[in-house]
Amino acid sequence: MKRSSKAEQIELLGNVSLFSECSKKELGQVAAMMDERRVDSGTELTREGEHGDEFFVVAEGLAEARIGGKKVGSIKPGSFFGEMALLDQGPRVATVESKLPTRVLVLDAKSFGRVVRDSPSVALKVMKTLAERLRALETSPTR
């Protein structure tokens, strides 16, 4: 796995629904605050019930989400998880584990706070996307 350039990170973030409303400049501000990590297969990225303060975007590889030990989804490149931790650092809803060697972009709550202070429009755009996701869950027939 090669390390991605800032331009590649900006492109990846632009395709992530959470940041889809952001301009290239705003995406650059977010990308500048993110760390890139490579993890081996079987690495636990989050643990259900533990407090978290990091948000992840899968750049390469594959991860699996489990709730109560039951698989609830696969997280493929371009997908993200942990977004609520940016806002409240509360307990994780799911355990997420890499299923292949995986490269993730990671944004911690402190860095996200800096982005929001420097560019409040990013916060509004992220909140809009989160509200849309919550609304979709609220109206889901499986609820």
Side-chain angles (χ1 to χ4, degrees):
M1 278 185 273
K2 67 179 183 79
R3 187 161 190 83
S4 59
S5 68
K6 283 299 173 191
E8 291 169 323
Q9 290 178 359
I10 289 168
E11 182 178 340
L12 176 63
L13 290 175
N15 292 319
V16 171
S17 63
L18 189 66
F19 299 112
S20 63
E21 298 283 323
C22 293
S23 69
K24 289 271 189 203
K25 180 181 178 188
E26 292 166 333
L27 292 172
Q29 291 171 319
V30 174
M33 294 292 179
M34 296 188 91
D35 291 322
E36 184 172 291
R37 293 186 195 155
R38 298 162 195 266
V39 297
D40 293 327
S41 179
T43 301
E44 194 173 85
L45 297 165
T46 67
R47 180 175 291 196
E48 184 178 358
E50 288 188 358
H51 288 271
D53 70 346
E54 294 178 320
F55 161 78
F56 300 82
V57 176
V58 176
E60 189 177 350
L62 179 69
E64 179 181 281
R66 294 185 314 276
I67 297 175
K70 181 181 175 191
K71 180 181 175 182
V72 294
S74 294
I75 306 167
K76 299 175 182 171
S79 299
F80 64 92
F81 59 96
E83 66 277 10
M84 298 304 288
L86 294 179
L87 303 175
D88 71 356
Q89 295 85 56
R92 297 287 189 184
V93 174
T95 296
V96 176
E97 180 181 299
S98 61
K99 295 318 245 182
L100 297 171
T102 300
R103 185 167 48 94
V104 292
L105 302 180
V106 184
L107 180 65
D108 64 41
K110 185 177 180 180
S111 296
F112 181 68
R114 274 186 257 145
V115 170
V116 168
R117 279 190 301 280
D118 293 344
S119 185
S121 59
V122 171
L124 291 173
K125 292 170 182 177
V126 167
M127 286 188 295
K128 179 182 177 208
T129 303
L130 287 173
E132 289 168 356
R133 286 181 63 151
L134 287 171
R135 189 175 312 284
L137 285 173
E138 289 289 321
T139 59
S140 170
T142 59
R143 188 167 187 273

